[in-house]
Amino acid sequence: MTDPYASRTPVHEQHLDGFGTVRVLPLDPAADAPVIHGWVSGERAAFWGMNGLTADQVAAVYAHMDTLGTHHAFLVVKDGEPAALLQTYDPAADRVGECYDAEPGDIGVHLLLAPAGSDGARPGWTAALSAVLMAYVLLGLDRTRIVVDPDVANEKAIARFLKQGFTAGPAVVLPEVDLPDVYLPEKKAQLAFLRREVAFAG
C-alpha cells in the first residue's frame, strides 16, 4: 500500500521499535479537512467543539489558523495512516493565558486522537504516540513546559494526561472569545502541566 502522505515534509519524524514510524505534518486545511471532519463530527469528539460543522467549515477554521503565527495545527500520521490531530499554541496569545501564571518556555497543546479502527482498543498505542508528540513539542520546539486545558467534564482526557505524567493545575473558566474570525464559548477547563525534565527524566 502506498503512503498518500509520503510526499509531504514532516516537522518531526520518529520510529519506535514495536510501534512504527510517526510523522508530524503541517496540516493542509483543504486536503486534510475530510479526515479531520470525520473525527471532529463524532460524538466522541464533542469536547473538541466542532460537532455540527461541515467539512468546508472545518477547512475554513484551519485555513484561518494557518494565518496565525501563534497557533499551529498538524496531522499526525503513523505508518501512512492518519492517527491524530495536534494543535500547538502560545499561551500568551490565547485565552488560557488569562487563567494561569504563564512562564517563558510554555507551550499549549490540544490533541485529538483518531477513533480506534475495526480492531478496537490498542493497548499502549496512546502512550507510544504521545511519547513521540511530547518529544516533538518539548525537545524539537525547545519548550520547557506543556499546558493543556481539557473540559472539566472530559474525564477520559484528564485521566490520560495525568497517566502521562502531567500534574493537575487549577480548574478555571476560560472566557468567551467573540471575534470576527473566531467564536469560542466560555469553557470550564482543568489545567494540567508537564515539564520537560519530568517527561524526559533520566
Side-chain angles (χ1 to χ4, degrees):
M1 180 178 123
T2 56
D3 178 356
Y5 302 97
S7 63
R8 289 166 59 172
T9 303
V11 294
H12 183 79
E13 183 170 342
Q14 191 173 336
H15 179 77
L16 292 184
D17 288 342
F19 183 69
T21 299
V22 178
R23 302 169 76 231
V24 182
L25 309 174
L27 190 75
D28 181 326
D32 296 331
V35 169
I36 300 303
H37 177 255
W39 295 348
V40 302
S41 58
E43 183 57 36
R44 63 182 288 279
F47 291 114
W48 198 256
M50 288 187 171
N51 282 162
L53 296 189
T54 66
D56 286 345
Q57 288 171 320
V58 169
V61 168
Y62 286 104
H64 171 68
M65 186 179 293
D66 213 21
T67 68
L68 305 176
T70 54
H71 293 62
H72 305 282
F74 305 91
L75 183 68
V76 183
V77 177
K78 175 190 173 294
D79 297 331
E81 291 286 330
L85 171 62
L86 172 70
Q87 293 175 201
T88 62
Y89 62 92
D90 177 359
D94 190 88
R95 60 181 179 168
V96 75
E98 302 175 33
C99 300
Y100 84 105
D101 293 328
E103 299 178 2
D106 278 0
I107 186 168
V109 165
H110 297 304
L111 178 62
L112 179 65
L113 300 173
S118 56
D119 296 336
R122 304 149 290 191
W125 193 92
T126 300
L129 189 72
S130 296
V132 173
L133 300 182
M134 297 307 114
Y136 166 60
V137 172
L138 290 168
L139 303 180
L141 297 179
D142 192 25
R143 299 304 183 102
T144 53
R145 187 172 68 158
I146 292 172
V147 55
V148 293
D149 62 353
D151 192 292
V152 291
N154 192 351
E155 296 174 356
K156 192 172 181 180
I158 294 169
R160 188 177 73 231
F161 285 125
L162 296 180
K163 187 177 179 182
Q164 290 165 3
F166 280 74
T167 299
V172 299
V173 177
L174 303 184
E176 177 186 60
V177 175
D178 192 1
L179 300 172
D181 292 314
V182 61
Y183 173 74
L184 297 170
E186 182 180 277
K187 171 183 167 183
K188 293 180 179 178
Q190 172 63 59
L191 300 186
F193 304 91
L194 179 66
R195 292 189 178 277
R196 185 164 63 192
E197 62 268 24
V198 173
F200 299 99

